Amino acid sequence: MAAVQISLPLPVLPQGWTEEKDFKPIGQLSSATQRNIEPVGPHFLAHARRKRHKRTFSEDER
Amino acid sequence: MGAQEEGEEVPHEINAIGISFGNSNSSIAYTSSEGKAEVIANEEGDRYIPSILSYIEGEEYHGTQAKSQLVRNSQNTVAYFRDYLGKDFDSIDPTPCHASAHPKKHESTVAFSIQDTESDSQNDVTVSEITTRHIRRLASSASDYLGKKVNAAVISVPTNFTEAQKEAMTKASQAAGVQLLQMISEPTAAVLAYDARSDAEIKDKIIVVADFGGTRSDIGVIASRGGMYSILSTSHDYETAGAQLDQLLIDHFAKEFIKKNKTDPRQKPKSLAKLKLEAEATKKALSLGGNASLSIESLADGVDFASTINRTRYEMLAAKIFGSLTRMIEDTVRKADLDILDVDEVILSGGTSHTPRISQNLQRLFSPKTRILSPSTLPTAIDPSSLAARGAAIQASLISEFDKEDIEQSTHPMVTVTPHLRNAIGVMVVSDDTKKGLFTALVEKETAVPCRRAGIFAAPREGGDVMVKVCEGARDIKVTKKEKAKTNGKAASDDSDLDSDDEEDEEEIREKIWKVGTVLAEAAIKGVKKGGKVEVTVHVGADLGVVVTAREVGAKGGVRGNLDKPRLVENGSA
Ligand SMILES: Nc1ncnc2c1ncn2[C@@H]1O[C@H](COP(=O)(O)OP(=O)(O)OP(=O)(O)O)[C@@H](O)[C@H]1O
Ligand SMILES: [Mg+2]
């Protein structure tokens, strides 16, 4: 999907914030819910192709 | 593969169409070479073909011609049979067949006892056989129209169609010479019909599909995420649909007839059948105009009947039914753990959805931001009666080149059952109140993984070093109470007649807000130039591990980091 545009600005980096490689991992995602995706439509077919061939998004775009 | 093996058929050209097969009507559609779904008119010019077969001296009538036989030849006319397919007699509701051939027990299935040949004998024709004959007629109409033999189809079915019903449908279709490539659910077909339009924008949204038909009403709440659809909740009602609206008009006109003629036309099957056909036509006319007339020759005892009704009167008669349909939608949204404010679009599907009042009521229920896709609320809406067939036709064109095995593998739970995010993932931005951050969602909840979403964020005006703080967010509903403006002492002339005057002094204002949850990561983008922008991409893997990347738009480098996957995955309900 195309990137969305957000007009409100990002905050200024707090004084003294330092982290190796400028990235600080803090948490993990909450658990997820197992659901069925409807096997319908062009985007699903692309998903199925990736899943069956264990390909990633960027490989799929090639 | 199989093609070269002995005894296998030589691969032949597949000509596939989409079929919607309802208890009341069916439609056939194909996808043109430009990729547009078009509904096909049969030989009689009908795009909505009554799912009815009728027999006179061995001759088979189909569609509208068969429907008109409900007056004189009802015992040899088979109607409203779709839901009986793949069921045993004890589990069906025979009510819709009250005025046509009755369903009966036949071994482990359902049959109709009809005179379908030239001889006088009654034959038990199973619902599977009836379905085969119906599909054969539909395919033959499509073949005539397209000028080539249709031999495959995608058929739309309700979300609560059982495996046994699907199996019966596959066999019945096969027996009609139509290979059933796939069955897709009716609400998904409706969503696909809209998404396949050339001007459609693929956006993450919550869609309610309200399918109001003849003998049933079905609601589906669907999360549409990057063009993929997950059904969050469904509900079904067999007591509130088009037939009940017809009944209101039948009763209304019958009473008028009784007043003048002292006979009740509902007592005689033939009179009732005439009245029913005409009442339905009147009802449809009321979807278009403010007035409709009805005129029946020799309704009962040889007496003709003519009358008119206006839309206001009809809407008063039907207010209760319309109210139930609205409530059904509210309940189904709640069942999905969502709020009315979460709904971005309501797709009205099915014949009864032509009724202006039904969509007007929905406009009042939902926020003004919710798009109500119906003929009376949106000029560009697709005809609700055609949505399922169009969606099926699009799916047919997408998969008609696939091997059977490919389709089977792709629709297998191994591929379709997928973890869906429980919370939104987003980035904190600065609001007007600079001390407080605001959550901006990039990935909505109920998005299936793997997924990837990107956002381009503004930086502070002067540029410099900025912080990208990635969090989980949960939608919350904020309720504020506001004094209602007094309307000069008089009660506001609202049509919500049940509210007493004094209790509703306060007005509730409900709005969606985000509650910030777990902080996932922080990243720094340093030295952003004046007026620069930062692109943030969140990529969630199939195992729920996250990769965050952030960089200044147009600049080299940037930041990239990983988050470990969480421990457990829970089961969803729908
Ligand atoms: N223009 C219209 N205005 C109001 N009602 C209409 C209109 N057109 C069709 N209908 C009603 O819609 C109903 C049929 O809807 P539809 O064709 O979607 O049903 P179906 O899905 O085949 O049937 P079922 O719900 O019985 O499975 C009938 O009750 C019919 O009278
Ligand atoms: Mg239907």
Side-chain angles (χ1 to χ4, degrees):
Chain A
M1 271 186 12
V4 288
Q5 299 277 344
I6 296 102
S7 51
L8 291 171
L10 294 168
V12 171
L13 191 69
Q15 285 281 321
W17 191 98
T18 55
E19 197 65 37
E20 203 183 316
K21 292 189 173 158
D22 287 342
F23 185 86
K24 182 177 176 188
I26 300 171
Q28 292 154 0
L29 285 186
S30 306
S31 59
T33 319
Q34 284 287 10
R35 288 189 193 283
N36 201 45
I37 313 178
E38 294 287 284
V40 169
H43 299 272
F44 168 79
L45 292 174
H47 162 90
R49 195 168 55 230
R50 282 193 297 266
K51 196 153 175 172
R52 286 170 52 203
H53 301 297
K54 303 214 162 34
R55 257 187 274 157
T56 64
F57 283 105
S58 35
E59 280 165 1
D60 203 53
E61 278 160 9
R62 266 176 217 157
Chain B
M1 278 185 347
Q4 277 81 32
E5 278 167 35
E6 226 180 321
E8 287 274 326
E9 248 181 76
V10 187
H12 56 301
E13 197 190 342
I14 298 255
N15 294 314
I17 57 166
I19 299 178
S20 85
F21 171 16
N23 290 295
S24 303
N25 298 293
S26 297
S27 282
I28 42 186
Y30 74 106
T31 304
S32 68
S33 46
E34 295 92 60
K36 231 182 128 208
E38 309 272 9
V39 181
I40 296 171
N42 71 1
E43 300 77 9
E44 290 176 85
D46 291 330
R47 290 187 164 75
Y48 313 110
I49 303 161
S51 306
I52 305 181
L53 291 161
S54 185
Y55 296 87
I56 307 172
E57 288 167 11
E59 187 157 353
E60 184 181 82
Y61 294 85
H62 184 233
T64 301
Q65 284 188 350
K67 190 170 182 176
S68 65
Q69 290 299 318
L70 285 169
V71 176
R72 269 166 236 292
N73 184 28
S74 62
Q75 292 321 301
N76 290 315
T77 304
V78 183
Y80 308 108
F81 55 88
R82 198 269 324 262
D83 281 353
Y84 302 158
L85 191 62
K87 290 224 158 169
D88 61 41
F89 182 75
D90 302 323
S91 66
I92 66 160
D93 173 13
T95 322
C97 296
H98 187 69
S100 57
H102 297 346
K104 57 182 262 190
K105 193 174 175 67
H106 181 88
E107 291 157 16
S108 64
T109 75
V110 175
F112 298 89
S113 208
I114 50 170
Q115 219 175 299
D116 63 334
T117 61
E118 270 179 89
S119 85
D120 283 345
S121 65
Q122 293 281 118
N123 298 317
D124 282 353
V125 184
T126 63
V127 63
S128 296
E129 171 59 21
I130 290 290
T131 300
T132 297
R133 294 180 189 179
H134 176 56
I135 291 176
R136 195 179 286 137
R137 294 293 294 251
L138 294 174
S140 138
S141 296
S143 302
D144 281 355
Y145 182 91
L146 297 171
K148 54 188 177 189
K149 180 124 183 65
V150 167
N151 52 16
V154 168
I155 298 186
S156 61
V157 297
T159 54
N160 62 349
F161 229 45
T162 62
E163 282 310 312
Q165 289 185 290
K166 288 183 182 171
E167 204 184 304
M169 182 76 93
T170 307
K171 283 190 185 145
S173 178
Q174 203 80 43
V178 177
Q179 188 199 338
L180 189 42
L181 301 176
Q182 191 185 353
M183 274 166 280
I184 67 175
S185 78
E186 290 171 340
T188 316
V191 174
L192 185 59
Y194 271 103
D195 273 355
R197 290 213 288 198
S198 55
D199 56 348
E201 211 188 318
I202 298 303
K203 281 211 307 221
D204 290 341
K205 54 194 171 189
I206 296 291
I207 305 172
V208 170
V209 180
D211 180 355
F212 300 133
T215 66
R216 53 188 288 169
S217 292
D218 300 273
I219 312 292
V221 176
I222 297 183
S224 170
R225 302 289 184 239
M228 284 198 277
Y229 317 118
S230 306
I231 298 183
L232 304 179
S233 66
T234 58
S235 53
H236 315 280
D237 184 332
Y238 302 87
E239 254 100 62
T240 321
Q244 283 69 32
L245 294 170
D246 295 342
Q247 192 60 45
L248 292 174
L249 289 173
I250 291 170
D251 293 342
H252 170 81
F253 289 122
K255 280 179 202 148
E256 209 177 295
F257 190 82
I258 294 168
K259 237 185 243 164
K260 289 187 208 142
N261 304 288
K262 313 271 175 286
T263 10
D264 187 344
R266 292 168 299 186
Q267 301 297 341
K268 299 198 182 78
K270 207 176 273 180
S271 305
L272 178 60
K274 278 187 185 176
L275 187 53
K276 186 168 164 44
L277 282 180
E278 291 308 317
E280 188 185 2
T282 304
K283 177 187 72 175
K284 290 185 188 172
L286 285 170
S287 291
L288 284 176
N291 270 292
S293 57
L294 163 139
S295 154
I296 305 171
E297 250 176 67
S298 174
L299 174 55
D301 299 342
V303 182
D304 297 348
F305 179 66
S307 183
T308 59
I309 183 168
N310 65 34
R311 193 189 275 176
T312 315
R313 186 70 215 272
Y314 169 61
E315 288 178 351
M316 259 160 59
L317 293 173
K320 245 199 171 139
I321 293 183
F322 293 162
S324 315
L325 297 179
T326 306
R327 230 166 302 122
M328 199 180 162
I329 293 182
E330 281 183 273
D331 292 346
T332 320
V333 169
R334 213 169 297 133
K335 212 164 135 184
D337 266 332
L338 295 174
D339 188 273
I340 285 294
L341 291 175
D342 291 316
V343 176
D344 300 292
E345 259 176 35
V346 181
I347 294 178
L348 279 144
S349 178
T352 300
S353 289
H354 283 100
T355 314
R357 192 69 198 188
I358 294 176
S359 22
Q360 285 156 11
N361 288 350
L362 295 180
Q363 252 174 340
R364 276 207 269 161
L365 170 68
F366 287 96
S367 108
K369 284 186 203 141
T370 307
R371 299 208 318 148
I372 312 284
L373 308 185
S374 82
S376 57
T377 51
L378 191 79
T380 56
I382 302 176
D383 177 357
S385 298
S386 73
L387 287 168
R390 285 175 198 272
I394 290 155
Q395 183 69 6
S397 74
L398 290 173
I399 61 170
S400 63
E401 311 269 286
F402 288 20
D403 293 338
K404 194 168 173 234
E405 200 187 331
D406 264 355
I407 299 173
E408 267 163 20
Q409 278 189 20
S410 296
T411 55
H412 193 274
M414 288 262 288
V415 170
T416 61
V417 176
T418 307
H420 286 58
L421 295 181
R422 199 162 270 230
N423 289 305
I425 306 170
V427 172
M428 300 305 292
V429 293
V430 175
S431 66
D432 298 339
D433 177 1
T434 44
K435 283 190 207 74
K436 263 172 54 189
L438 263 185
F439 177 87
T440 305
L442 280 185
V443 194
E444 294 284 350
K445 78 163 182 172
E446 302 300 359
T447 302
V449 296
C451 62
R452 185 174 63 182
R453 296 288 186 279
I456 294 174
F457 293 81
R461 208 168 293 147
E462 293 309 315
D465 297 351
V466 300
M467 154 81 94
V468 176
K469 187 167 175 176
V470 183
C471 305
E472 278 194 326
R475 192 272 295 129
D476 204 17
I477 300 291
K478 186 175 144 197
V479 183
T480 28
K481 292 212 157 69
K482 206 180 100 183
E483 285 274 308
K484 221 181 199 169
K486 286 258 156 51
T487 43
N488 253 342
K490 268 198 282 174
S493 57
D494 204 32
D495 30 1
S496 54
D497 35 35
L498 292 175
D499 298 338
S500 70
D501 296 338
D502 35 35
E503 83 181 9
E504 289 267 319
D505 283 353
E506 277 182 339
E507 202 178 358
E508 277 196 348
I509 299 179
R510 305 176 73 251
E511 56 188 326
K512 268 202 314 192
I513 56 163
W514 286 106
K515 266 205 329 227
V516 182
T518 316
V519 179
L520 298 173
E522 289 175 354
I525 302 294
K526 291 182 177 154
V528 176
K529 66 171 187 283
K530 207 172 156 176
K533 289 190 155 122
V534 175
E535 179 172 52
V536 181
T537 305
V538 172
H539 185 154
V540 185
D543 62 354
L544 296 171
V546 179
V547 181
V548 176
T549 56
R551 61 179 182 96
E552 185 179 348
V553 176
K556 285 226 172 68
V559 175
R560 179 191 170 90
N562 297 297
L563 302 173
D564 291 342
K565 58 175 196 222
R567 265 131 288 158
L568 79 177
V569 171
E570 286 160 47
N571 285 323
S573 49

